[in-house]
Amino acid sequence: MKKIVIDAFGGDNAPEQIVQGGVLALASQSDFNIVLVGNKEKIENILGKLTYDKSRVEILEANEVITNDDIPTDAIRGKKDSTIVVGMEHYKKDEDMVGFISAGSTGAVLAGAIFKIGRIRGINRPALAPVMPTITDGKVMMLDIGANVDCKPEFLCQFALMGSAYMSNALKVANPRVALLSNGTEDKKGNAFNKEVFVMLKELKGINFVGNMEARDILSGDFDVIVTDGFAGNIALKSSEGAVNAVMKMLKKEIMSSFTSKIGAIFMKKSFKNLKNKMDYSKVGGASLLGIDKVVVKCHGASNAETIKCACVQAFDLYESKYIDSIKKSLEDNK
Amino acid sequence: MKKIVIDAFGGDNAPEQIVQGGVLALASQSDFNIVLVGNKEKIENILGKLTYDKSRVEILEANEVITNDDIPTDAIRGKKDSTIVVGMEHYKKDEDMVGFISAGSTGAVLAGAIFKIGRIRGINRPALAPVMPTITDGKVMMLDIGANVDCKPEFLCQFALMGSAYMSNALKVANPRVALLSNGTEDKKGNAFNKEVFVMLKELKGINFVGNMEARDILSGDFDVIVTDGFAGNIALKSSEGAVNAVMKMLKKEIMSSFTSKIGAIFMKKSFKNLKNKMDYSKVGGASLLGIDKVVVKCHGASNAETIKCACVQAFDLYESKYIDSIKKSLEDNK
């Protein structure tokens, strides 16, 4: 039986919500079992309160936790009994283990994945690659959104190949439209770095490069893969998040300042809730770490049981999609 | 009498809305007159339909228009009878002319301002600097948002000085909090470029540098001036714009899909309208071009008469605030 490895002690709601999420995943799917990594006693304590098929859950003992305060690379070297290090070391060797998920420190998951699991040959830097909903009810992947703040142009070409392989294999998008995040749509737009990348993307084989795009069109549905360095990508993602939060807060304030608006809001409760669900991080699992030679899904630090459940299913689907083989083929074609 | 110079042929709604906006500004304020730059016959035609004090309006004849399809620097050199070139050449020389506004090509306004009006001595690159509303009912300036996609670290120090001088003089913010847009709040965050800027901002005299900030907090109200290179700034601004539009579209779709929601929306109409007003570009005038030795306000291409009216008042207020003198003093203090 294939297994999904879960860092039970990563994230703000660990270990309770993480363990519960794993058990929820088992209930929703019979295709995989789970391996919970962490303090055995604490995990068993939580499991004791839940109803599940005991034959489908393994515990992998690890008694240290890497926090956001640790320096990622130091922690991966130093905290040898941490959930990420122990989990990934087993994950690397065991062929039945087909996915790894963590809501812990992004830097540590990234460093651990590079040093303990390893990169795909030909990929310089793995990228953190979330998939977001578009206004046309589609999906768009943006990469990198923060794993690599200093990039060389060739890294972005690799991101383009990886994103394209992911979208066509895992999400069945035919001939994914790949665009470069820039400050305008014209070919000549961009800073010096982007201009170099643009020329290289034009030359790349096996991808459907559609040119430069503007940040205001990220969620437009006009693109399937958006390529950027991790600094600009991080700013794009967090600006969007911040602006949406700000507008929602302003709207709430407006509503609360008037009696008729409050009545209106009652009628609209369901619409607001549906929208919230649509935008909800926890419903989409996590961001893939593309470029690692096995499936790694990084969940939001605030992940709850529902997120973890989705991430387990996502990781298994990713394994089955064979997107990693597809990335390897793309790299081969561009040699 | 002081005068505000208006490019009557810049923007999507020129010349009608622009001329009307100028006349509206006169009605709202008696402190300045206006100079409309463009084709005399067309301007007189529009003015003929309006009621206003004729002694307060001048027309400066210019019969070419620089469009978004023109290459900015070429157009400034080549189109010698364009509204921007003619307007700025007069603006440069005439001491009674105290503000210049245009809703035309951003690149042309920028190039024109540099070549025809000139930079403040000690400023390498002028920055496009909009002021946005925060969720705490304050204002925040971000610069640069697109005038300079390739920056040197010292440009960002100049942006910090200029933004700080603007916020304290023009908007009366005491000791403005200046932050550097980055991918995290910690001192060590940022790409190689940002790390260099961080060290230099720490050393800068006369500004209240509060450190790195994340893009999700742009509208939080925790900062008064956000410093960034024009590429990242452009992405931050447009991502925010795009995300808000996307959420509003998704919300509209949700509302329209349910009868009760539609009823709710009727009750909430006023709240939505108030919010829209708050976010409305046209109510805030335009983005200042900081670093030019006279006041230049660049309005959105989609500006209407209301925007132009606000921009005229804004330009005059900026002149009166003497923020340019304050920038010069800051530069002197950091010599």
Side-chain angles (χ1 to χ4, degrees), chain B residues 191-205:
Chain B
N191 56 12
F193 174 77
N194 259 48
K195 283 174 186 163
E196 253 187 89
V197 175
F198 185 93
V199 173
M200 290 172 74
L201 285 175
K202 275 252 175 207
E203 299 292 313
L204 212 58
K205 276 175 258 170

Side-chain angles (χ1 to χ4, degrees), chain A residues 111-128:
Chain A
I114 293 171
F115 298 124
K116 300 294 171 186
I117 307 170
R119 287 165 296 159
I120 295 170
R121 184 193 290 262
I123 296 296
N124 290 92
R125 301 283 183 89
L128 200 56

Side-chain angles (χ1 to χ4, degrees), chain B residues 167-330:
Chain B
M167 291 306 279
S168 55
N169 284 268
L171 296 182
K172 308 294 171 212
V173 176
N175 203 23
R177 296 154 299 176
V178 179
L180 177 62
L181 182 62
S182 191
N183 62 319
T185 56
E186 302 90 343
D187 287 5
K188 302 260 165 202
K189 285 284 180 174
N191 56 12
F193 174 77
N194 259 48
K195 283 174 186 163
E196 253 187 89
V197 175
F198 185 93
V199 173
M200 290 172 74
L201 285 175
K202 275 252 175 207
E203 299 292 313
L204 212 58
K205 276 175 258 170
I207 65 156
N208 174 18
F209 178 53
V210 298
N212 283 325
M213 55 87 61
E214 286 193 288
R216 70 159 65 91
D217 297 322
I218 292 171
L219 304 177
S220 67
D222 294 338
F223 313 102
D224 303 303
V225 177
I226 296 172
V227 170
T228 170
D229 69 274
F231 188 76
N234 192 270
I235 284 174
L237 193 78
K238 286 185 188 158
S239 299
S240 308
E241 198 185 320
V244 170
N245 279 342
V247 169
M248 286 301 166
K249 269 186 196 158
M250 286 178 190
L251 187 60
K252 210 169 174 182
K253 222 174 181 178
E254 277 300 334
I255 290 168
M256 286 308 162
S257 70
S258 133
F259 179 66
T260 47
S261 279
K262 275 188 212 163
I263 293 177
I266 294 167
F267 281 100
M268 290 180 61
K269 218 171 174 179
K270 212 178 147 221
S271 286
F272 279 121
K273 208 181 155 190
N274 285 347
L275 180 68
K276 223 185 142 196
N277 277 342
K278 207 168 183 176
M279 308 293 293
D280 193 351
Y281 245 110
S282 73
K283 293 289 181 304
V284 293
S288 290
L289 208 52
L290 292 190
I292 296 298
D293 207 2
K294 284 188 99 169
V295 174
V296 178
V297 174
K298 166 67 182 78
C299 303
H300 200 279
S303 292
N304 56 24
E306 181 66 21
T307 326
I308 300 301
K309 181 194 103 177
C310 292
C312 289
V313 174
Q314 182 189 3
F316 187 73
D317 288 347
L318 284 175
Y319 160 70
E320 289 216 302
S321 81
K322 299 195 189 325
Y323 77 89
I324 291 177
D325 293 340
S326 175
I327 290 175
K328 288 176 180 169
K329 200 190 157 297
S330 285

